[in-house]
Amino acid sequence: MTADAPTTRDSFRRRLQPISTAGPVSTLPDRVWTEEDWERIRRGYRARDMDQKWNVFAEGDVLFMHRSWTGRGIYEVSFAPVAGGGRKIVSAVVETDPERYRRTDDAYDCLMMEMIISAIVLGEPATELRSRFGELNAGKSSRNNLHTGPAEHGALGPRSDS
């Protein structure tokens, strides 16, 4: 596979597992991605080492997000064009089987989907999203924000902008 080749379901040696128990995500990101962003998103992302947590690929207008170690599907995100250009997430499902994914709530899943797309697939700094992740994580834990870095690394993997 060349560096320019898109990531597809067939790109993964490990057999990918579909979401076993899908539940809707009712809170979706408001962001409208440009057509240029959409082209990059459609190319997907393949984890290159054990620290990277996500494999992402598109089929049509659906983006599939799988954990890299287990191959388990966690999110399936549907995009649609918007008036004036660009694409927006119009629906999403998340794995709800607690044996496969420790789900918390829609706010967390909404933020994670956007962070995976922005920080991992597009390689953006995603500073505001990372800040919101820290706030959300601090609100769910008695720990203080000193633990945000390890929590973020556990969820996303290493930062690509550092």
Side-chain angles (χ1 to χ4, degrees), residues 107-162:
Y108 180 85
D109 289 325
C110 174
L111 182 58
M112 280 301 298
M113 290 183 302
E114 188 171 1
M115 284 181 66
I116 293 166
I117 295 166
S118 297
I120 295 175
V121 177
L122 296 176
E124 298 171 344
T127 306
E128 185 212 331
L129 296 174
R130 292 176 191 278
S131 176
R132 285 181 24 216
F133 181 83
E135 293 166 9
L136 192 61
N137 190 53
K140 294 189 183 313
S141 170
S142 61
R143 299 178 188 153
N144 62 31
N145 282 340
L146 294 175
H147 298 286
T148 298
E152 183 181 312
H153 183 276
L156 291 176
R159 289 180 72 139
S160 61
D161 62 330
S162 42

Side-chain angles (χ1 to χ4, degrees), residues 70-93:
T70 63
R72 291 179 178 158
I74 304 299
Y75 300 109
E76 292 179 14
V77 180
S78 296
F79 284 80
V82 297
R87 299 258 174 167
K88 184 175 177 108
I89 296 173
V90 293
S91 67
V93 295

Side-chain angles (χ1 to χ4, degrees), residues 40-105:
R40 290 176 58 205
I41 292 166
R42 286 186 38 210
R43 298 190 74 66
Y45 180 86
R46 183 175 180 181
R48 289 159 185 79
D49 62 44
M50 291 181 66
D51 277 341
Q52 296 177 334
K53 310 291 184 188
W54 293 95
N55 286 319
V56 181
F57 62 94
E59 292 177 345
D61 290 333
V62 179
L63 193 67
F64 296 85
M65 302 177 196
H66 288 252
R67 293 298 284 193
S68 62
W69 280 23
T70 63
R72 291 179 178 158
I74 304 299
Y75 300 109
E76 292 179 14
V77 180
S78 296
F79 284 80
V82 297
R87 299 258 174 167
K88 184 175 177 108
I89 296 173
V90 293
S91 67
V93 295
V94 61
E95 175 64 71
T96 60
D97 178 347
E99 297 294 319
R100 296 171 62 101
Y101 177 62
R102 289 180 294 210
R103 183 165 195 248
T104 57
D105 57 36

